[in-house]
Amino acid sequence: LMLRRSEDDTVPQWLAVVGIVVVLVLIVAMGHSYMMPSLPAWDTVLQLLSLLGAACVMGPATVAFIGAAKGVEIEGIGLLTVIGAAVNAVLSAAYMFAMEASSATFQSFQYYFDPTHPNVAMANPANVSLFTGDSLAALVVAIIALVVALVGALLGKKQGAWKVWGAVVAIAGLVCAVALRIMMYTMGETLFMLY
């Protein structure tokens, strides 16, 4: 609406600041809803920060792609995309380490069984580590996506070909975020068995 009413095809700076603040608040609120002490792999502020990391990479890459598709030169978007990819890599890696560290919470899985499935354990011990069980494939995908996003951001900044690299970086950021959620749910073994 502000853009349509604008005489010089711009919007006020305060509107951009309000937009960023609203996005940050919504991401924090969404991430905070998962923080539960009974699920050690979820109960860390790094889980919340990994969502912010995903926004840091996907936002600038998407803007770079849209700008390139419209033929608009956006000043500084290359640097923002590289910074966003680096921030996402650091925050995602930190959350992966935190998830793996949470596996030390579990000492043993020899607790009671579900009476309707007496020969099936209540939890799979392999799933509480990133390096075994169902999390391993998602870990590999996340690492590949982080590398692709970083390399794509650097190449996009160097070449200025954001139609290609903007899309590649945004998609890699999305793939990494989804892979982190898969790991989170896979490693989300609950402590209810202990009590």
Side-chain angles (χ1 to χ4, degrees), residues 13-26:
Q13 284 289 79
W14 65 264
L15 188 59
V17 172
V18 168
I20 290 170
V21 169
V22 168
V23 167
L24 288 174
V25 168
L26 290 174

Side-chain angles (χ1 to χ4, degrees), residues 104-174:
T105 306
F106 299 95
Q107 302 299 322
S108 169
F109 283 88
Q110 297 175 5
Y111 305 106
Y112 67 89
F113 294 94
D114 182 348
T116 60
H117 299 92
N119 60 345
V120 177
M122 290 294 281
N124 181 357
N127 284 344
V128 297
S129 173
L130 286 181
F131 304 110
T132 59
D134 299 331
S135 298
L136 184 58
L139 173 68
V140 171
V141 169
I143 291 170
I144 291 170
L146 287 173
V147 171
V148 167
L150 275 168
V151 170
L154 290 168
L155 288 173
K157 184 176 184 302
K158 183 178 180 182
Q159 298 173 358
W162 288 113
K163 268 188 189 176
V164 173
W165 294 116
V168 167
V169 172
I171 291 168
L174 178 62

Side-chain angles (χ1 to χ4, degrees), residues 7-52:
E7 295 179 4
D8 59 352
D9 289 333
T10 61
V11 293
Q13 284 289 79
W14 65 264
L15 188 59
V17 172
V18 168
I20 290 170
V21 169
V22 168
V23 167
L24 288 174
V25 168
L26 290 174
I27 289 172
V28 168
M30 178 183 65
H32 186 266
S33 67
Y34 285 97
M35 294 178 69
M36 297 176 239
S38 62
L39 296 166
W42 297 15
D43 193 32
T44 172
V45 75
L46 291 169
Q47 177 268 131
L48 186 150
L49 292 175
S50 73
L51 294 169
L52 288 173

